[in-house]
Structures are given as C-alpha cells and as structure tokens.
Amino acid sequence: MRRAIGDHFWSRLPARTRADRRAEGGALRADIASLQGAAPYDAAALRVPVLAAAGSETTWWHQRATRELARAAPLGEHAVVTGAEHGAHLTHPTATAHLVRRALERADPA
C-alpha cells in the first residue's frame, strides 16, 4: 500500500489506518499474485446479471476492467459513480446503495 500511494500520503494516514493496511499485506499480495495466472472464470459463461461499476475519478485500468466485464458478460451492464474514486462505497454510499438495489432488481425482477 505504501508503494502504491507514496510516502507522502502514507505518512499522512492515522497510525491505526497504517496498522490496518499492514495487516492486510498478505491478502493484498495474494490478490495481486492472482492476476498473474489464468482468469478464474469465463465472463462469457456467466448466466446471471452482472453490474460492473467504477467511479468516474478512479484509475483508467479500473474503469476499463468494469467496461470489459460488462461487455463480456451476456447479461452485463456498466455503471459509473460520478465523482467517485476507487473507494466509491466509502465516499458515495448512497450511489453505491442504488447500484446494489439495481443489481438485486436485475437478479430478481419480480
């Protein structure tokens, strides 16, 4: 995490947050390592509605990944949370809640 955000931003985080991020180190490394192998699933084989969303201010690769997933899934839909970065659920909880409701409605329209 420190390498990702840089020393300047890392030093500005509260001590508790830095400790929490350090504790997540193993999981983060495993998550990154999982990107090196074969895809864990075939999006074209998904038979459930998929709502892939990204914040409008997040990195280009997160935006691209959500667009590609929505395009590849037969029942895929792409959404953008305007003004949000990567942690949209933290900074834009109402918009995120609307996305969750929309996903649930798509899964069970009755």
Side-chain angles (χ1 to χ4, degrees), residues 62-107:
H62 285 117
Q63 291 180 30
R64 184 180 80 186
T66 56
R67 285 191 308 271
E68 289 180 3
L69 174 58
R71 192 174 20 244
L75 300 173
E77 177 183 346
H78 184 253
V80 175
V81 180
T82 303
E85 294 181 6
H86 184 61
H89 60 293
L90 300 172
T91 60
H92 293 70
T94 302
T96 303
H98 287 298
L99 287 174
V100 171
R101 281 190 210 97
R102 189 153 104 211
L104 291 172
E105 289 168 0
R106 290 186 70 217

Coordinates of all heavy atoms in Angstrom, one line a residue, residues 62-107:
H62 N -9.1 0.5 -13.7 CA -10.3 0.0 -13.1 C -11.5 0.3 -13.9 O -12.5 -0.5 -14.0 CB -10.5 0.7 -11.7 CG -9.6 0.2 -10.6 ND1 -8.6 0.9 -10.0 CD2 -9.5 -1.1 -10.1 CE1 -8.0 0.2 -9.2 NE2 -8.4 -1.1 -9.2
Q63 N -11.5 1.5 -14.5 CA -12.6 1.8 -15.4 C -12.7 0.9 -16.6 O -13.8 0.4 -17.0 CB -12.5 3.3 -16.0 CG -12.7 4.3 -14.9 CD -12.5 5.7 -15.4 OE1 -12.8 6.0 -16.5 NE2 -12.1 6.6 -14.5
R64 N -11.5 0.6 -17.2 CA -11.5 -0.3 -18.3 C -12.0 -1.7 -17.9 O -12.7 -2.4 -18.7 CB -10.1 -0.4 -18.9 CG -10.0 -1.3 -20.2 CD -8.7 -1.4 -20.8 NE -7.9 -2.3 -20.0 CZ -6.6 -2.6 -20.2 NH1 -5.9 -1.9 -21.1 NH2 -6.0 -3.5 -19.5
A65 N -11.5 -2.2 -16.8 CA -11.9 -3.5 -16.3 C -13.4 -3.7 -16.2 O -14.0 -4.7 -16.6 CB -11.2 -3.9 -15.0
T66 N -14.0 -2.7 -15.6 CA -15.5 -2.8 -15.4 C -16.2 -2.7 -16.8 O -17.2 -3.5 -17.0 CB -16.0 -1.7 -14.5 OG1 -15.7 -0.4 -15.0 CG2 -15.5 -1.9 -13.1
R67 N -15.7 -1.9 -17.7 CA -16.3 -1.9 -19.0 C -16.2 -3.2 -19.7 O -17.1 -3.7 -20.4 CB -15.7 -0.8 -19.9 CG -16.2 0.6 -19.5 CD -15.8 1.7 -20.6 NE -14.4 1.7 -20.9 CZ -13.4 2.4 -20.2 NH1 -13.7 3.1 -19.2 NH2 -12.2 2.3 -20.6
E68 N -15.0 -3.8 -19.6 CA -14.7 -5.1 -20.3 C -15.6 -6.2 -19.7 O -16.1 -7.0 -20.4 CB -13.2 -5.4 -20.2 CG -12.4 -4.5 -21.1 CD -10.9 -4.9 -21.1 OE1 -10.5 -5.8 -20.4 OE2 -10.1 -4.1 -21.7
L69 N -15.7 -6.2 -18.4 CA -16.5 -7.2 -17.8 C -18.0 -7.1 -18.2 O -18.6 -8.1 -18.6 CB -16.4 -7.2 -16.2 CG -17.4 -8.1 -15.4 CD1 -17.1 -9.5 -15.8 CD2 -17.2 -7.9 -13.9
A70 N -18.5 -5.9 -18.2 CA -19.9 -5.7 -18.6 C -20.1 -6.1 -20.0 O -21.2 -6.6 -20.4 CB -20.3 -4.2 -18.4
R71 N -19.1 -5.8 -20.9 CA -19.3 -6.1 -22.3 C -19.2 -7.6 -22.5 O -19.9 -8.2 -23.4 CB -18.2 -5.4 -23.1 CG -18.3 -5.4 -24.6 CD -17.3 -4.6 -25.3 NE -16.1 -4.3 -24.6 CZ -15.7 -3.0 -24.2 NH1 -16.4 -2.0 -24.6 NH2 -14.6 -2.8 -23.5
A72 N -18.3 -8.3 -21.7 CA -18.1 -9.8 -21.9 C -19.3 -10.6 -21.4 O -19.6 -11.7 -21.9 CB -16.8 -10.2 -21.3
A73 N -19.9 -10.2 -20.3 CA -21.0 -10.9 -19.7 C -22.2 -10.8 -20.5 O -22.6 -9.7 -20.9 CB -21.2 -10.5 -18.3
P74 N -22.9 -11.9 -20.8 CA -24.1 -11.9 -21.6 C -25.2 -10.9 -21.1 O -25.9 -10.3 -21.8 CB -24.6 -13.3 -21.6 CG -23.4 -14.1 -21.4 CD -22.5 -13.3 -20.5
L75 N -25.3 -10.9 -19.8 CA -26.3 -10.0 -19.1 C -25.6 -8.9 -18.4 O -26.0 -8.4 -17.3 CB -27.1 -10.8 -18.1 CG -27.9 -12.0 -18.8 CD1 -28.6 -12.8 -17.7 CD2 -29.0 -11.4 -19.8
G76 N -24.5 -8.4 -19.0 CA -23.7 -7.4 -18.3 C -24.2 -6.0 -18.5 O -24.8 -5.6 -19.6
E77 N -24.0 -5.2 -17.5 CA -24.3 -3.7 -17.6 C -23.2 -3.0 -16.9 O -22.7 -3.4 -15.9 CB -25.7 -3.5 -16.8 CG -26.1 -2.0 -16.8 CD -27.3 -1.8 -15.9 OE1 -28.1 -2.8 -15.6 OE2 -27.6 -0.6 -15.6
H78 N -22.9 -1.8 -17.5 CA -21.8 -1.0 -16.9 C -22.5 0.3 -16.3 O -23.4 0.8 -16.8 CB -20.8 -0.6 -18.0 CG -19.7 0.2 -17.4 ND1 -19.6 1.6 -17.6 CD2 -18.6 -0.2 -16.7 CE1 -18.5 2.0 -17.0 NE2 -17.9 1.0 -16.4
A79 N -21.9 0.7 -15.1 CA -22.4 1.9 -14.5 C -21.2 2.7 -14.0 O -20.1 2.1 -13.7 CB -23.3 1.5 -13.3
V80 N -21.4 4.0 -13.9 CA -20.4 4.9 -13.4 C -20.9 5.7 -12.2 O -22.0 6.2 -12.2 CB -19.9 5.9 -14.5 CG1 -18.9 6.9 -14.0 CG2 -19.3 5.1 -15.7
V81 N -20.1 5.7 -11.1 CA -20.5 6.5 -10.0 C -19.7 7.9 -10.2 O -18.5 8.0 -10.0 CB -20.0 5.9 -8.7 CG1 -20.4 6.7 -7.5 CG2 -20.7 4.5 -8.5
T82 N -20.5 8.9 -10.5 CA -19.9 10.2 -10.9 C -19.3 10.8 -9.6 O -19.8 10.8 -8.5 CB -21.1 11.1 -11.4 OG1 -21.7 10.5 -12.5 CG2 -20.5 12.5 -11.7
G83 N -18.0 11.2 -9.9 CA -17.3 11.9 -8.8 C -16.5 11.0 -7.9 O -15.7 11.4 -7.1
A84 N -16.7 9.7 -8.0 CA -16.1 8.7 -7.1 C -14.7 8.2 -7.6 O -14.5 8.1 -8.8 CB -17.0 7.5 -6.9
E85 N -13.9 8.0 -6.7 CA -12.6 7.3 -7.0 C -12.8 5.8 -6.7 O -13.9 5.3 -6.8 CB -11.5 7.9 -6.1 CG -11.2 9.4 -6.5 CD -10.1 10.0 -5.7 OE1 -9.4 9.3 -5.0 OE2 -9.9 11.2 -5.9
H86 N -11.7 5.1 -6.4 CA -11.8 3.6 -6.3 C -12.7 3.2 -5.1 O -13.3 2.2 -5.2 CB -10.4 3.1 -6.1 CG -10.3 1.6 -6.0 ND1 -10.8 0.8 -7.0 CD2 -9.9 0.7 -5.0 CE1 -10.6 -0.5 -6.7 NE2 -10.1 -0.5 -5.5
G87 N -12.7 3.9 -4.0 CA -13.5 3.6 -2.8 C -14.9 4.2 -2.9 O -15.3 4.8 -1.9
A88 N -15.6 4.0 -4.0 CA -16.9 4.6 -4.1 C -17.9 4.3 -3.0 O -18.7 5.1 -2.5 CB -17.5 4.2 -5.4
H89 N -17.7 3.1 -2.5 CA -18.6 2.7 -1.4 C -18.4 3.5 -0.1 O -19.3 3.6 0.7 CB -18.5 1.2 -1.1 CG -17.1 0.8 -0.7 ND1 -16.0 0.9 -1.6 CD2 -16.6 0.3 0.5 CE1 -14.9 0.5 -0.9 NE2 -15.2 0.2 0.3
L90 N -17.2 4.0 0.0 CA -16.8 4.8 1.2 C -17.2 6.3 1.0 O -17.7 6.9 2.0 CB -15.3 4.7 1.5 CG -14.8 3.3 1.8 CD1 -13.3 3.3 1.9 CD2 -15.4 2.8 3.1
T91 N -17.0 6.8 -0.2 CA -17.2 8.2 -0.4 C -18.6 8.6 -1.0 O -19.1 9.7 -0.9 CB -16.2 8.8 -1.4 OG1 -16.2 8.1 -2.6 CG2 -14.8 8.7 -0.8
H92 N -19.2 7.6 -1.6 CA -20.5 7.8 -2.2 C -21.5 6.6 -1.9 O -21.9 5.9 -2.7 CB -20.4 7.9 -3.8 CG -19.6 9.0 -4.2 ND1 -18.3 9.2 -4.0 CD2 -20.0 10.1 -4.9 CE1 -17.9 10.4 -4.5 NE2 -18.9 10.9 -5.1
P93 N -21.8 6.5 -0.6 CA -22.6 5.4 -0.1 C -24.0 5.3 -0.7 O -24.5 4.2 -1.0 CB -22.6 5.5 1.4 CG -22.3 6.9 1.7 CD -21.4 7.4 0.6
T94 N -24.6 6.5 -0.9 CA -26.0 6.5 -1.4 C -26.0 6.0 -2.9 O -26.8 5.1 -3.3 CB -26.6 7.9 -1.4 OG1 -26.6 8.3 0.0 CG2 -28.0 7.9 -1.9
A95 N -25.0 6.5 -3.7 CA -24.9 6.0 -5.1 C -24.6 4.5 -5.1 O -25.2 3.8 -5.9 CB -23.9 6.8 -5.8
T96 N -23.8 4.0 -4.2 CA -23.4 2.6 -4.2 C -24.7 1.8 -3.8 O -24.9 0.7 -4.3 CB -22.3 2.4 -3.2 OG1 -21.1 3.2 -3.6 CG2 -21.9 0.9 -3.1
A97 N -25.4 2.3 -2.8 CA -26.7 1.6 -2.4 C -27.6 1.5 -3.6 O -28.3 0.4 -3.7 CB -27.3 2.3 -1.2
H98 N -27.7 2.5 -4.4 CA -28.6 2.5 -5.6 C -28.1 1.4 -6.5 O -28.9 0.7 -7.1 CB -28.6 3.8 -6.3 CG -29.4 4.8 -5.5 ND1 -30.8 4.7 -5.3 CD2 -29.1 6.0 -5.0 CE1 -31.2 5.8 -4.6 NE2 -30.2 6.6 -4.4
L99 N -26.8 1.3 -6.7 CA -26.2 0.2 -7.6 C -26.6 -1.2 -7.0 O -26.9 -2.1 -7.8 CB -24.7 0.4 -7.7 CG -24.2 1.5 -8.5 CD1 -22.7 1.6 -8.5 CD2 -24.7 1.4 -10.0
V100 N -26.5 -1.3 -5.7 CA -26.8 -2.7 -5.1 C -28.3 -3.0 -5.3 O -28.6 -4.1 -5.7 CB -26.4 -2.7 -3.6 CG1 -27.0 -3.9 -2.9 CG2 -24.9 -2.6 -3.4
R101 N -29.1 -2.0 -5.1 CA -30.6 -2.2 -5.4 C -30.8 -2.6 -6.8 O -31.6 -3.5 -7.1 CB -31.4 -1.0 -5.0 CG -31.6 -0.9 -3.5 CD -32.6 0.3 -3.2 NE -32.3 0.8 -1.9 CZ -31.5 1.9 -1.7 NH1 -31.1 2.6 -2.7 NH2 -31.3 2.3 -0.5
R102 N -30.2 -1.9 -7.7 CA -30.3 -2.1 -9.2 C -29.9 -3.6 -9.5 O -30.5 -4.3 -10.3 CB -29.6 -1.1 -10.0 CG -29.9 -1.2 -11.5 CD -29.7 0.1 -12.2 NE -28.5 0.0 -12.9 CZ -27.7 1.1 -13.2 NH1 -28.0 2.3 -12.7 NH2 -26.6 1.0 -13.9
A103 N -28.8 -4.0 -8.9 CA -28.3 -5.3 -9.2 C -29.2 -6.4 -8.6 O -29.5 -7.4 -9.3 CB -26.9 -5.5 -8.5
L104 N -29.8 -6.1 -7.5 CA -30.8 -7.1 -6.9 C -32.0 -7.1 -7.7 O -32.6 -8.2 -8.0 CB -31.1 -6.7 -5.5 CG -30.0 -6.8 -4.5 CD1 -30.3 -6.2 -3.1 CD2 -29.6 -8.3 -4.3
E105 N -32.5 -6.0 -8.2 CA -33.7 -6.0 -9.1 C -33.4 -6.7 -10.4 O -34.3 -7.4 -10.9 CB -34.1 -4.5 -9.4 CG -34.7 -3.8 -8.2 CD -34.8 -2.3 -8.5 OE1 -34.4 -1.8 -9.6 OE2 -35.2 -1.6 -7.5
R106 N -32.2 -6.6 -10.9 CA -31.9 -7.3 -12.2 C -31.8 -8.8 -11.9 O -32.2 -9.6 -12.8 CB -30.6 -6.8 -12.7 CG -30.6 -5.4 -13.3 CD -29.4 -5.0 -14.0 NE -29.2 -5.8 -15.2 CZ -28.1 -6.2 -15.7 NH1 -27.0 -6.0 -15.0 NH2 -28.0 -6.9 -16.8
A107 N -31.4 -9.2 -10.7 CA -31.3 -10.6 -10.4 C -32.6 -11.3 -10.1 O -32.8 -12.4 -10.4 CB -30.4 -10.8 -9.2

